Amino acid sequence: SQQGEEDPQALSIQEGENATMNCSYKTSINNLQWYRQNSGRGLVHLILIRSNEREKHSGRLRVTLDTSKKSSSLLITASRAADTASYFCATVSNRDDKIIFGKGTRLHILP
Amino acid sequence: KAGVTQTPRYLIKTRGQQVTLSCSPISGHRSVSWYQQTPGQGLQFLFEYFSETQRNKGNFPGRFSGRQFSNSRSEMNVSTLELGDSALYLCASSSRLAGALETQYFGPGTRLLVL
């Protein structure tokens, strides 16, 4: 079964607003990664956060990780039309090293 | 550096046939993973190869197999195709040697349609 589950499934916001997506998972992880996918193309790695980290930043992206709640959030600040895409979290298990992707959040930035 | 390439980009097959997909990783990357993406099941891990050896495997039937060559290029084979095998097949490469799987670089995918 899918370990990472994103919430919400879909999100529409106005350009310039902030977008927040959440990811929950079930077992112990080594790291959690966020990827972006544009319309049926390959995925692009955005950011990785390790299990001993609580927050990471990369440009307009901010990721938090709460291992006690088994959850992570991805914040995109000052959204742009080019941010329109699907966003996936992926967890790497520290038990068997398998990576599991969630079903993604479809983000639509309105002009 | 050239990115991950996958061939072919599109493929149409009929039930019962077999198919082979190819993936060339980023130069220097020895880890190659394969994924199946469908609207219903999302992105599911098929297997990972490292230095010509299968390092990890997802929960797919034996009809799905793969291999990796000495130049790190990888192929994925699906035998006895079923309608449910219609999907986008993604390949990803990683520079990892030991330790947990980290950043992966994805190819554009091969879209397979089974009729």
Side-chain angles (χ1 to χ4, degrees):
Chain A
S1 62
Q2 292 282 1
Q3 172 159 251
E5 294 290 339
E6 289 90 341
D7 165 51
Q9 290 186 335
L11 180 62
S12 291
I13 60 171
Q14 294 293 137
E15 193 168 15
E17 292 182 338
N18 296 341
T20 299
M21 288 159 269
N22 303 297
C23 170
S24 60
Y25 58 93
K26 295 177 183 174
T27 61
S28 294
I29 62 170
N30 179 284
N31 65 71
L32 185 146
Q33 304 170 35
W34 285 91
Y35 288 83
R36 183 187 74 224
Q37 184 180 36
N38 290 88
S39 193
R41 298 183 187 173
L43 277 72
V44 174
H45 181 264
L46 295 175
I47 199 163
L48 177 151
I49 187 164
R50 295 187 173 83
S51 59
N52 61 353
E53 297 175 312
R54 292 296 166 259
E55 188 170 312
K56 274 188 102 166
H57 296 255
S58 176
R60 293 184 296 115
L61 306 180
R62 173 178 165 250
V63 167
T64 62
L65 178 65
D66 187 334
T67 52
S68 66
K69 294 181 179 177
K70 291 186 167 55
S71 68
S72 172
S73 68
L74 170 67
L75 168 67
I76 303 174
T77 60
S79 62
R80 305 168 182 169
D83 295 330
T84 294
S86 291
Y87 291 82
F88 296 88
C89 72
T91 53
V92 176
S93 167
N94 65 5
R95 180 175 59 86
D96 57 14
D97 198 36
K98 287 188 179 178
I99 185 166
I100 298 179
F101 281 81
K103 293 203 172 182
T105 292
R106 293 187 311 280
L107 175 64
H108 185 54
I109 307 301
L110 304 168
Chain B
K1 238 183 202 180
V4 178
T5 58
Q6 292 186 245
T7 56
R9 293 292 311 279
Y10 304 92
L11 206 47
I12 300 175
K13 292 284 188 180
T14 56
R15 276 182 303 174
Q17 287 187 309
Q18 73 154 12
V19 67
T20 299
L21 311 181
S22 181
C23 171
S24 292
I26 290 173
S27 177
H29 286 189
R30 290 159 61 186
S31 168
V32 175
S33 297
W34 288 90
Y35 298 87
Q36 180 196 66
Q37 186 177 29
T38 60
Q41 298 299 314
L43 260 163
Q44 293 189 289
F45 170 71
L46 281 155
F47 27 66
E48 179 194 3
Y49 283 86
F50 180 85
S51 291
E52 303 177 65
T53 301
Q54 190 178 84
R55 195 175 202 170
N56 219 333
K57 187 177 185 303
N59 300 321
F60 277 80
R63 299 186 297 109
F64 292 82
S65 63
R67 59 177 176 168
Q68 187 179 33
F69 302 95
S70 58
N71 62 358
S72 293
R73 188 177 70 85
S74 177
E75 286 182 349
M76 191 195 88
N77 184 273
V78 188
S79 62
T80 321
L81 284 166
E82 300 176 0
L83 296 179
D85 296 333
S86 293
L88 179 66
Y89 289 88
L90 293 162
C91 162
S93 76
S94 164
S95 61
R96 81 142 159 183
L97 297 176
L101 185 61
E102 295 198 346
T103 302
Q104 294 185 90
Y105 299 85
F106 281 79
T110 294
R111 190 165 293 281
L112 172 65
L113 177 61
V114 181
L115 302 174

